[in-house]
Structures are given as structure tokens and as C-alpha cells.
Amino acid sequence: HVQLVESGGGSVQVGGSLTLSCAVSGYTGSTYCLGWFRQAPGKEREGVATIDSDGSTNYADSVKGRFTISEDNAKNTLYLQMNSLKPEDTASYYCAARVYRLCSDKAADYISWGQGTQVTVS
């Protein structure tokens, strides 16, 4: 059973930066996909970035060039470095995991979720 715990959210000014972390535990397999999703009030949860067990990454068009997803396998931690933040980046951010290397940008394809961390840009 994969457990995910996010941290690092907060309030930041437009143009600022923030790094989210997600501690991953409970999975010892060698194939996986980890992702960051976000959900703003009244909107559906959307994919932000994913990384698979081979290190391949994918980003939503809205964050390309501004956000970077990475992982530290030694620390079992997933990161999301967010730069040049905009008001439209305001949302609750969630990390998610699936035990397949093939990643997806659809929230329904992930069964393991963290509790979320709020990011507010103003």
C-alpha cells in the first residue's frame, strides 16, 4: 500500500518560486509512475507533471518551462520545483502514484494519493 505525504505549500507572490515535496513509502517495486496534480475550487483535478521509474518526465503545457518534477530515490521523495508562479497556479496540489511505468495525466488512473498541500499565488 503506497503512502504519500505532501509538504511545502504556502503563499507566494506572483513571479515567485516554491518547492513541493512528497514523501513516498510502502512500495518496493522497481516500476512506477509518480505525478503531481492540482485542483482549483470548482475545477477538475488536472495533471501537472509526471515522472516514471526510468526518469522520463512529462508536463502540462501550462507549466512547461516553469515547473520541474524530480525525485530523490535515496530519500524516497518526489519534488515539484515551481518557478515564475502565476495566480492561475493557485490550487491544492496532490502527489499520486501508480505501480506501472506508463504514466498518465488522468487522475482516474491513479489509486494512491496524498492529502494535498495548498499553493496560493497573489
Side-chain angles (χ1 to χ4, degrees):
H1 177 62
V2 181
Q3 294 180 317
L4 307 167
V5 179
E6 302 98 335
S7 61
S11 297
V12 63
Q13 292 184 335
V14 173
S17 299
L18 209 58
T19 300
L20 305 182
S21 300
C22 175
V24 183
S25 62
Y27 182 66
T28 58
S30 60
T31 57
Y32 57 83
C33 174
L34 299 174
W36 285 100
F37 289 74
R38 65 186 181 187
Q39 187 168 19
K43 294 188 176 181
E44 292 188 355
R45 192 167 296 188
E46 64 173 357
V48 175
T50 60
I51 185 168
D52 69 20
S53 44
D54 285 346
S56 296
T57 59
N58 277 288
Y59 297 90
D61 288 342
S62 59
V63 306
K64 279 181 181 176
R66 299 189 299 122
F67 290 12
T68 302
I69 188 172
S70 63
E71 59 179 341
D72 184 332
N73 290 323
K75 296 182 179 180
N76 293 326
T77 302
L78 177 72
Y79 300 99
L80 184 68
Q81 173 67 45
M82 305 184 293
N83 298 326
S84 302
L85 283 161
K86 305 175 181 180
E88 50 264 45
D89 294 320
T90 295
S92 292
Y93 283 72
Y94 300 86
C95 61
R98 64 196 307 249
V99 295
Y100 305 102
R101 189 177 69 81
L102 181 64
C103 286
S104 168
D105 60 359
K106 296 178 176 58
D109 291 336
Y110 294 78
I111 61 171
S112 299
W113 292 88
Q115 82 287 354
T117 186
Q118 178 67 34
V119 172
T120 303
V121 185
S122 60

